[in-house]
């Protein structure tokens, strides 16, 4: 039987998948958003992940798959799980106590910034808000090998916004809306950088000003409510398009 808390987590996560689809943050059937659930009766860590083979626009609360840190299906789902999904996400959920939610994308702008030597420039409104919050992890190939996990965790440290070099973007946080706020800001920073560099050299922002921007960024202020308003607004849009994700 699904608990009330798990049911709420399933609905929120399914809504997030539909939001990503609406925003165009999809890669056919690939990439993942995961949410950690309460530990199992035996103390095992459990989380929800998308069923491999479905587009984000097809994800619903009921077809999300509950797995453990080894990728074993715990809810009897007939859907497979992508090994590249649970390998990275399991390492973060297991190794970072505050990682309730983990999001990963392969957007054009995100991958472009991940593929340039300098990475994210401190040259726009959004990247300034992420001052001191961005980590980098070197590319090691397709993320199916568990031994990469400890190296990934060392690269991340305590920084919630992660640029996986040559690969894409990742964010993690204590709540799903907070994680979304971090990823949205990182994505916007990459979008603007890509547009800026198409016209010329970016105008750098000083560390002093960027520190102030990071301090004043409202969507990050509360670990409990950060990003909630923006996420709720997008859920309302998704509900108007197709509320069937709640099923």
């Amino acid at each position: 039987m699904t608990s009330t808390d798990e049911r709420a987590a399933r609905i929120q996560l399914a809504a997030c998948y539909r939001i990503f689809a609406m925003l165009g943050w999809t890669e056919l059937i690939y990439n993942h958003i995961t949410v950690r659930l309460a530990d199992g009766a035996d103390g095992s860590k459990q989380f929800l992940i998308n069923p491999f083979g479905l587009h984000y626009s097809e994800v619903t609360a009921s077809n999300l798959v509950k797995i453990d840190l080894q990728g074993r299906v715990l809810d009897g789902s007939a859907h497979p799980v992508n090994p590249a999904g649970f390998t990275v996400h399991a390492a973060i959920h297991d190794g970072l106590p505050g990682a309730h939610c983990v999001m990963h994308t392969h957007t054009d702008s995100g991958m472009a910034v991940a593929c340039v030597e300098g990475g994210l420039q401190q040259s726009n409104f959004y990247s300034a808000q992420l001052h001191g919050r961005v980590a980098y992890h070197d590319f090691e190939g397709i993320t199916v090998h568990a031994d990469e996990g400890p190296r990934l965790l060392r690269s991340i440290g305590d920084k919630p916004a992660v640029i996986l070099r040559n690969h894409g973007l990742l964010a993690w946080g204590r709540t799903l809306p907070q994680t979304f706020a971090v990823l949205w800001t990182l994505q916007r920073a990459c979008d603007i950088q890509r547009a800026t560099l198409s016209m010329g050299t970016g105008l750098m922002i000083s560390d002093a000003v960027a520190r102030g921007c990071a301090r004043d960024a409202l969507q990050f202020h509360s670990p409990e409510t950060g990003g909630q308003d923006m996420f709720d607004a997008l859920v309302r849009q998704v509900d108007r398009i197709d509320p069937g994700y709640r099923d």
Side-chain angles (χ1 to χ4, degrees):
M1 180 181 295
T2 302
S3 69
T4 301
D5 287 346
E6 181 178 329
R7 177 64 182 164
R10 284 177 173 272
I11 292 172
Q12 185 185 58
L13 181 55
C16 192
Y17 275 104
R18 297 300 183 94
I19 288 169
F20 274 43
M22 181 176 68
L23 295 175
W25 293 1
T26 59
E27 186 81 351
L28 294 178
I29 60 172
Y30 302 102
N31 294 166
H32 310 278
I33 313 164
T34 56
V35 165
R36 185 173 169 185
L37 298 172
D39 291 349
D42 60 354
S44 61
K45 295 178 181 178
Q46 306 175 346
F47 57 101
L48 295 171
I49 194 168
N50 51 314
F52 190 44
L54 298 188
H55 188 266
Y56 281 13
S57 62
E58 299 177 296
V59 173
T60 66
S62 60
N63 67 29
L64 287 162
V65 184
K66 180 161 67 172
I67 60 176
D68 63 14
L69 291 174
Q70 288 70 47
R72 292 187 292 252
V73 175
L74 302 174
D75 57 2
S77 174
H79 291 285
V81 173
N82 184 1
F86 74 77
T87 300
V88 167
H89 289 243
I92 296 173
H93 283 296
D94 188 33
L96 298 176
H100 168 75
C101 179
V102 181
M103 301 177 177
H104 172 50
T105 58
H106 284 181
T107 59
D108 287 358
S109 295
M111 291 189 73
V113 170
C115 290
V116 295
E117 186 173 353
L120 187 67
Q121 294 185 350
Q122 194 167 276
S123 61
N124 66 66
F125 178 82
Y126 296 104
S127 61
Q129 294 179 54
L130 292 169
H131 178 81
R133 291 189 165 111
V134 180
Y136 291 85
H137 178 65
D138 289 338
F139 185 61
E140 297 189 21
I142 297 175
T143 52
V144 293
H145 303 291
D147 66 333
E148 185 177 353
R151 293 187 293 277
L152 174 63
L153 293 173
R154 285 195 296 271
S155 296
I156 292 173
D158 62 352
K159 294 178 170 59
V162 185
I163 295 178
L164 302 172
R165 293 192 185 277
N166 310 102
H167 187 172
L169 306 180
L170 184 145
W172 60 274
R174 295 185 179 279
T175 69
L176 187 150
Q178 180 193 54
T179 307
F180 179 84
V182 171
L183 184 62
W184 183 85
T185 306
L186 181 59
Q187 175 63 37
R188 287 294 289 149
C190 292
D191 288 340
I192 302 305
Q193 177 171 317
R194 186 180 175 200
T196 300
L197 295 182
S198 73
M199 298 185 294
T201 303
L203 181 63
M204 295 299 112
I205 297 170
S206 72
D207 284 348
V209 170
R211 278 193 294 271
C213 289
R215 181 187 62 243
D216 297 338
L218 295 178
Q219 67 265 35
F220 304 134
H221 273 183
S222 169
E224 289 76 31
T225 62
Q228 189 69 55
D229 290 347
M230 91 163 53
F231 185 77
D232 289 346
L234 290 168
V235 170
R236 291 193 294 272
Q237 290 187 54
V238 168
D239 279 334
R240 288 193 290 269
I241 296 169
D242 177 15
Y245 70 89
R246 295 176 178 272
D247 297 337

